[in-house]
Amino acid sequence: MKIIMLGAPGAGKGTQAKKIAEKYSIPHISTGDIFRANIKNGTELGQKAKTYMDQGLLVPDELVVDLVVDRVNQDDCVNGYVLDGFPRTIPQAEALDKALKELGQKIDYAINVEVPDENIVNRMSGRRACVDCGATYHIAYAPTSKEGICDKCGGGLILRDDDKPETVLKRLGVYHEQTQPLIDYYTEAGILKEVDGTIDINDVFAEIVKILGE
Ligand code: AP5
Ligand code: MG
Ligand code: ZN
């Protein structure tokens, strides 16, 4: 099962992609997480990506596409994967389609997690991420059992650099301009599925399971 998660920054793509990956035993591939891991490890890719990410801008397509195409060609992807944060532009979507076509494969579902802009800034200011394992929480909606400490690995929690309100607004603008056109793209491809992202995290997941099957 090959799945793409679509949605605005903070819509809950990562939250739902993790749950999908666990239930259906497929890898969760988040380009944002890959870039953040590269930044943390001080790689050249990380240094390049950071200058864009800190401004709320997209990393250029040429730095993203090959990375994802290589990743989906790895052995653990034979039974599928859930892509989170990719594609994000029409050229990225076209490049992915082309690469998959060469392998005789295609995406099965593009799931759009819908959340209005008004809800987003509030959501992002409460998000906390683990510095060690990248697990994501929310101070009100998905709290850890011990404040400031990751439930999964005991690591410390931080507010992401790009979650400051002014950067979130910039990311929302970039989303509407460059990523939202993908909704039409995947509607035309006949694989778009919409879920309401404003309801409780587990209820959103139940909607997704209805689409993907038990
Ligand atoms: P990326 O990391 O992908 O960020 P994003 O798309 O802006 O999305 P987020 O991770 O912020 O949100 P999410 O939808 O995953 O929400 P989450 O589940 O965490 O990308 C970061 C940057 O990297 C980009 O700006 C860009 O620069 C670069 N980049 C990455 N991929 C790229 C690409 N392909 N091309 C070019 N550049 C790229 O949830 C948010 C919060 O809400 C959490 O606290 C969560 O607990 C909470 N929450 C989730 N669901 C619910 C719910 N139903 N109710 C209440 N709270 C909820
Ligand atoms: Mg995410
Ligand atoms: Zn952790």
Side-chain angles (χ1 to χ4, degrees):
M1 194 150 47
K2 301 184 183 65
I3 303 163
I4 289 170
M5 303 303 291
L6 295 175
K13 300 180 297 294
T15 301
Q16 298 300 328
K18 274 203 184 87
K19 293 171 88 68
I20 293 170
E22 262 165 45
K23 179 170 172 75
Y24 299 97
S25 302
I26 51 177
H28 168 204
I29 302 172
S30 157
T31 42
D33 287 353
I34 293 171
F35 288 137
R36 281 183 289 277
N38 274 275
I39 292 170
K40 196 177 163 207
N41 295 328
T43 69
E44 200 187 325
L45 174 66
Q47 282 168 8
K48 283 187 190 156
K50 189 175 186 335
T51 60
Y52 298 95
M53 291 169 75
D54 283 351
Q55 297 177 69
L57 299 173
L58 294 184
V59 174
D61 290 341
E62 57 271 25
L63 292 181
V64 191
V65 170
D66 291 350
L67 182 132
V68 175
V69 170
D70 286 348
R71 180 67 190 87
V72 300
N73 272 311
Q74 285 169 22
D75 292 346
D76 63 335
C77 291
V78 285
N79 294 323
Y81 40 80
V82 50
L83 288 177
D84 159 16
F86 181 95
R88 246 180 155 96
T89 62
I90 297 281
Q92 289 182 18
E94 289 171 348
L96 177 67
D97 281 350
K98 182 165 170 274
L100 291 180
K101 205 171 175 190
E102 279 162 16
L103 298 165
Q105 300 177 359
K106 60 173 188 50
I107 298 295
D108 299 300
Y109 300 99
I111 299 176
N112 183 35
V113 184
E114 277 209 303
V115 176
D117 288 8
E118 303 86 86
N119 301 29
I120 297 286
V121 177
N122 167 37
R123 240 190 219 192
M124 302 300 241
S125 60
R127 172 163 61 186
R128 296 292 180 272
C130 173
V131 281
D132 292 326
C133 76
T136 304
Y137 302 94
H138 191 283
I139 50 175
Y141 311 125
T144 49
S145 43
K146 269 194 225 133
E147 201 186 313
I149 300 188
C150 177
D151 284 347
K152 300 204 173 85
C153 78
L157 302 184
I158 50 155
L159 181 69
R160 247 167 64 178
D161 284 344
D162 58 349
D163 278 351
K164 294 185 295 261
E166 62 274 21
T167 314
V168 170
L169 290 175
K170 177 77 198 167
R171 286 161 60 201
L172 270 175
V174 167
Y175 165 77
H176 289 301
E177 197 179 300
Q178 301 195 54
T179 308
Q180 211 172 15
L182 291 177
I183 294 175
D184 288 340
Y185 182 93
Y186 289 111
T187 303
E188 275 161 35
I191 58 168
L192 189 85
K193 304 284 173 187
E194 307 256 10
V195 294
D196 178 359
T198 64
I199 56 180
D200 180 83
I201 291 172
N202 291 317
D203 296 334
V204 179
F205 188 58
E207 292 296 309
I208 292 175
V209 171
K210 270 193 218 156
I211 293 165
L212 301 179
E214 270 302 334

Coordinates of all heavy atoms in Angstrom, one line a residue, residues 130-135 137 150-155 157, ligand 3:
C130 N 10.5 15.6 20.3 CA 11.6 15.0 21.0 C 12.9 15.3 20.3 O 13.0 15.0 19.1 CB 11.4 13.5 21.2 SG 12.8 12.7 21.9
V131 N 13.9 15.7 21.0 CA 15.2 16.0 20.3 C 15.9 14.7 19.9 O 16.7 14.8 19.0 CB 16.2 16.8 21.2 CG1 15.8 18.3 21.3 CG2 16.2 16.3 22.7
D132 N 15.6 13.6 20.6 CA 16.3 12.4 20.3 C 15.6 11.5 19.2 O 16.3 11.1 18.3 CB 16.6 11.6 21.5 CG 17.5 12.3 22.5 OD1 18.5 12.9 21.9 OD2 17.4 12.2 23.7
C133 N 14.3 11.3 19.4 CA 13.7 10.3 18.5 C 12.7 11.0 17.5 O 12.1 10.3 16.6 CB 13.0 9.2 19.2 SG 11.4 9.6 20.0
G134 N 12.4 12.3 17.7 CA 11.5 13.0 16.8 C 10.0 12.8 17.1 O 9.2 13.3 16.3
A135 N 9.7 12.0 18.1 CA 8.3 11.8 18.4 C 7.6 13.2 18.6 O 8.3 14.1 19.1 CB 8.1 11.0 19.7
Y137 N 4.4 15.6 20.1 CA 3.3 15.7 21.2 C 2.6 17.1 21.0 O 3.1 17.9 20.3 CB 3.9 15.6 22.6 CG 4.7 14.3 22.7 CD1 6.1 14.2 22.5 CD2 4.0 13.1 23.1 CE1 6.8 13.0 22.6 CE2 4.7 11.9 23.2 CZ 6.1 11.9 23.0 OH 6.8 10.7 23.1
C150 N 10.1 12.8 26.7 CA 9.5 11.9 25.7 C 9.0 10.6 26.3 O 9.8 10.0 27.0 CB 10.5 11.7 24.6 SG 9.9 10.6 23.3
D151 N 7.8 10.2 26.0 CA 7.3 8.9 26.5 C 8.0 7.7 25.9 O 8.1 6.7 26.5 CB 5.8 8.7 26.1 CG 4.9 9.6 27.0 OD1 5.3 10.1 28.0 OD2 3.7 9.7 26.6
K152 N 8.5 7.9 24.7 CA 9.1 6.8 24.0 C 10.5 6.5 24.3 O 10.9 5.4 24.4 CB 9.0 7.0 22.4 CG 7.5 7.1 22.0 CD 7.3 6.8 20.6 CE 5.8 6.7 20.3 NZ 5.2 8.1 19.9
C153 N 11.3 7.6 24.5 CA 12.7 7.4 24.7 C 13.3 8.2 25.9 O 14.5 8.1 26.2 CB 13.5 7.7 23.4 SG 13.7 9.5 23.2
G154 N 12.5 9.0 26.6 CA 13.1 9.8 27.7 C 13.8 11.0 27.3 O 14.4 11.7 28.2
G155 N 13.9 11.3 26.0 CA 14.6 12.5 25.6 C 13.8 13.8 25.9 O 12.7 13.8 26.4
L157 N 12.1 17.6 25.3 CA 11.2 18.1 24.3 C 11.5 19.6 23.9 O 11.8 20.3 24.8 CB 9.7 18.0 24.7 CG 9.3 16.6 25.1 CD1 7.8 16.6 25.5 CD2 9.5 15.6 24.0
Ligands
ZN3 ZN 11.9 10.5 22.1

